[in-house]
Amino acid sequence: MKIYQNLIPTQFTINGKSVEVEVASGETALYTIRERLALKGTKEGCGIGECGACTIVVDGKAVNACLMPAPQLNGRDVLTVEGLEDSGEISPIQEAFLGNHAVQCGFCTPGLMMSTQALLKENTNPNHDEIVEAVSGNLCRCTGYEQIVSAVENAAERVSKRKVK
Amino acid sequence: MKEGLCYARPRKLGEALEFLHGHGDETTVVAGGTDVMIAFRSGKLDSKYILDISRLSELKGIEIHGDELWVGAGVTLSDIYVSETLARFAPALQRAAFTFGSKQIRNTATIGGNVGNASPSADTVPPLIVHEARAVLGSVGGERSVPIEALSSGPYKNTVRSGELITRFVLKPAEGLYSNFQKIARRKALAISRVSLAVIAGKDDTGKISFIRIALGSSTPTPRRIDEVEDFFMGKTPTESLIWEAGRMVATKMIEISGRRASTVYKEKAVQGLFMRILYPMVQ
Amino acid sequence: MKDSYKTVGRNIPRIGAVEKLKGAPVFSADLKLDNPLALRVLRSARSHARIIEMDIEPALHIEGVVRVFNADDIPGKNLTGIINKDQPLLVPDKVRFIGDAIALVAAENEEAAEKGVNAIKVVYEDLPAVFDPEEAMKEDAPKIHEKGNVLFTRKVKKGNVDKAFENCKTVVEKIYQTSCLEHTYLEPDAGAGYVDEDGTLVIYSSTQNPHYDHSEVVAILGLEDERVRVIQAATGGGFGSKLDLNVQGFIGLALYYLKRPVRYVFSREEAYLSTAKRHPLAITMKTGADINGKILATRARIICDTGAYASYGIAVASRSAVHATGPYEVDNVDVESICVYTNKPFSGAMRGFGAPQVAFAHESQIDLLAKELKMDPLEIRHINAFKPGGKTGTGQELSASVGICDCLDAIKPYYDQALKEWKRDEPPPFKQRGVGIGAMWYGIGNTGVKNPSTARVEMALDGGITLYTGCADIGQGSTTVLAQIASEILAIDMDTIRIVVGDTKWTTDAGATSASRQTYISGNAVKDAVEKLVELLLSGAVNALGVPRESLALESGFVVSSIDPAKKISFSELAKNYSEEFKPIVCKGYFDPETVPLDPETGRGIPYSTYAFASHLALVTVDTLTGEVSVEKIVAAHDVGKAIYPEGVKGQIYGGTAMGIGFALMEDYVPGQTVSMKDYFIPTCKDMPKVIPIIVESAEPTGPFGAKGVGEPALIPTAPAILNALADALGERIYTLPANLERVLEASIKSGHFGPKEVKNV
């Protein structure tokens, strides 16, 4: 078993792209994503897993990037907000948030959409309670969540429609 | 980030135990990271090594083994949340997952980490207690098992020895009994328990309590079983006033152990109140 | 004002939303800079102490530390403040709260900056500290500021309250106490900067008022205006906290000396420690009503704890005094609101400026009166609510746009249904159900002072329109609303308008994004600018087309004659006709609400030129065993004058309701104990009830398309409605906020709800 001093070579896919990056032992995935990969869409709101602004999707599950040790990214499939678009076209989730006016200051938005993405991957037709459960780890101080929940409901419909097509 | 901090990711449990045998005193074990990374951020941990056990398959799994229910230390709170085995054999533990942190936290936080962190408000502990759980500790020397209550000697102090790793929990399954976990918190998600209770209870054909286990959390330095109140209930028909009286006994026990603090004015009543709420379904 | 418009009143996609959905907006922490320095402030560890000695040498020896600044390094003025300039950027002599800024460390990276801060040795001489405002008001209290601990008193006096109380059928007097709150916007305060090729100090900042930031930085550095440029970076919420300086002064100072790019991003912990908080208010209120429920007199003594520095203290004292009667016509008023310094984190602006706190009092009072008189709470509010022509406590006649009764009417069907069905149904075991109402009024703009906005619109030679506004959009949607106004008047598509926001090089001061003022005041400034442009276009068209002016209309970038549709001329051609030296046509707009300063003894005057009104209905379930409260439903009716962007208005209502729930039930900032987000609770999605927003449009004649404002009104009636519902549920009232687990359980015990019915002895 190799013991790494300081920097650990880490290989993973992020937004469909394969990357190799060296991360420090005590580094967080949030730091890796923002500083080493220069993907600024994932935000730091509190640094201690209490706000969800740093939510990313790892192997289909929503996690707080600020609490994830960066070396644990190794071998994983990671999605951040930058990966939602498809060749310049916004995703059904983004369309739903737009159409339901669910964005105000926009700081919590990337994390929220990641939680939505993870939810819809595991549950294509979530009910109201399941939606609320999925986004309760994402704090928002602007919107009061109502339009966000509508957006997630709408996103579920849009994603289903796309699949049927 | 600390300079000189070393990182190791064992692929097998044996590797991990080997490492801990040699470096246990200078090592912080990390699984989900939801407690450890916070401690690192605030500069509270200054170990030389991080041992990442998050991928050890030997620590996973929720299975019935004969008359025992095994839950791997590396099982996440999300695994617990959806487990059909637990829904059937340990609903109290599953219910603790329902109100644990947030979905993001549950996806990586492990039961071993929650127990090992030894917070007085660790939500998995009261359910483990009522299932008379034992924690299995592995080391290069073999395994030893201890009652779950013995794993914590005080707030944030676990009794895991140097070189040891919690590998699994062994529970007594409780199928078909009334089984519940409830907590009081300041909001409905992302909130640490102020008071929590886990119970398993069963009645005989005459409606009298024939089996009962009660554990109180977030109210004493470590979560604990309340044997006296269990004894009080045995053979009695649960009524509102009986539960109310028993709830007062639980509160008294709490004060006996924790003394009177600023929070006692509230907790003394809230413990009694929560106790009524959680056992009320037994009144029929 | 028409009934239907092309953009105004329509739910167009919010400007900037797509970028936000892509994670694209550049917040200060995201800004790409060339090897920036990291900044960190050394903050006081004492509540009240003189700085005897500060040794920065150990910090300078830390690898990576580039420079350590203290008060002596400030080239210009070291006193800042949004109203009173009493807050040093870096304390030169004595610290006044734990968190006061003493020194600034600039280093190559954050770790070195942190180490540098920890290495500085400070020798304090402790001074007696005072934490309670009543104590601070005493003669012998330790002086926090030279001029004494009472910052300001606002009085509103009208009629004769003592006489009026004698004529009342019932009089209630209670003391209400609200807690200190923290804004907890999702983006911690942050900024960044660099020095431009021409030597301009460019500062990006997460802010609600870039032009104010600019004025402070030039004063701190002793520079001419053009030497500093402040740009509002993408800002993740503010709610009043990002009105005061947070990082801008420090960034300016570092740029001034070091001439290297810098960045300063607060951790959440630093934001919690050092930024503005909500004033806790202690309100003693006495209200009396006659036999018909008409309130005859209100007396209130309000103490506002402004902490170590003034910030918006004067505004909070003024607003709380003016709004103390509630949206009700009361002929006899005696209110004093006193703003007091203490050695605690300073209180500043937070959504509502004292109105949310005072609404808790006046709405509880009116419910108490209703109970005494055995009247329905909705009915007693109707009787007292302002009608057009009503006179306020400051002697102002509310002539138009007084929608409070419409709001009460809007919630009535839900109220009736809740009483008939929901409340009558048997609640689950050990739960109690309560229904409560809250109502409010809120003056738009700063209280009784000039607070103008300016705007500029330019038309290029190709007819392209650019709108310049210093109005900071912090998520509430002002950019969208202002564009809608311009688009509507010019009859062009919104996406053809280019908008430049919050950049002191290009925009002009629109005043702060606060006091719910931007739709009304900046909206009017934009309207003014655009109407001036329209004047030019119409005049030019008259000349060019030779048709009467009355026949002309604007349509998709053309001025068209209704008499002969073939006669039309494009904006572009008109631009070319007008333009001198090929420069774009520039029209400037201005608007300042018509106010009259309040008399210092009586408060008489016109504090605001228009008021928003609202009423909320709350349905709550109380767990009588544990003190937990579930808010089941909120119906929120808001008179906004005109909803220019209806989904935006609803977004404010939902968000404000969430904040109101936090204020009512769970938010409590305790200096020293509230360290991180683990310690402070704002509602999660799971805590939210069903919210039914109802937009009431009682058009404001002086507002753009009749609009007033909603940003702060959104949260003001919520907590009062919830607290009234709790009192209804338990029969025991709570007078201190938040109505947290402890207080609700205590009320449950006091009212005999705690425990099984058959057991009396608890």
Side-chain angles (χ1 to χ4, degrees), chain C residues 319-333:
Chain C
R319 210 178 252 283
S320 58
V322 169
H323 289 75
T325 56
Y328 310 116
E329 184 157 16
V330 181
D331 291 334
N332 301 284
V333 178

Side-chain angles (χ1 to χ4, degrees), chain C residues 713-753:
Chain C
L715 90 99
I716 297 172
T718 318
I722 291 173
L723 271 288
N724 283 337
L726 288 176
D728 181 49
L730 293 175
E732 178 76 27
R733 187 167 279 276
I734 292 167
Y735 295 94
T736 303
L737 292 183
N740 56 20
L741 295 171
E742 290 84 349
R743 294 189 177 113
V744 174
L745 189 59
E746 190 187 337
S748 169
I749 292 168
K750 258 200 192 137
S751 56
H753 283 105

Side-chain angles (χ1 to χ4, degrees), chain A residues 49-144:
Chain A
E50 290 281 333
C51 76
C54 66
T55 305
I56 56 175
V57 181
V58 177
D59 284 0
K61 293 197 195 290
V63 299
N64 291 319
C66 73
L67 294 181
M68 182 177 184
Q72 289 186 354
L73 288 165
N74 197 57
R76 300 284 184 220
D77 185 29
V78 180
L79 185 72
T80 67
V81 63
E82 290 90 345
L84 283 178
E85 280 171 77
D86 189 5
S87 327
E89 259 196 58
I90 62 171
S91 66
I93 290 177
Q94 288 161 311
E95 278 174 14
F97 272 69
L98 181 66
N100 284 274
H101 307 271
V103 183
Q104 290 190 30
C105 82
F107 197 79
C108 76
T109 305
L112 255 165
M113 291 193 299
M114 290 298 106
S115 288
T116 304
Q117 170 80 11
L119 170 68
L120 296 181
K121 277 278 179 252
E122 83 180 23
N123 183 348
T124 52
N125 191 18
N127 61 33
H128 184 264
D129 287 348
E130 285 162 339
I131 292 174
V132 169
E133 189 65 63
V135 302
S136 284
N138 293 82
L139 294 185
C140 174
R141 198 54 153 158
C142 294
T143 69

Side-chain angles (χ1 to χ4, degrees), chain C residues 21 117 157 180 202 232 250 281 443 490 499 521 604 722 752:
Chain C
L21 290 166
V117 160
K157 312 228 181 223
C180 183
V202 181
Q232 186 207 0
F250 302 124
L281 260 55
L490 286 167
I499 307 164
I521 301 180
R604 196 172 173 80
I722 291 173

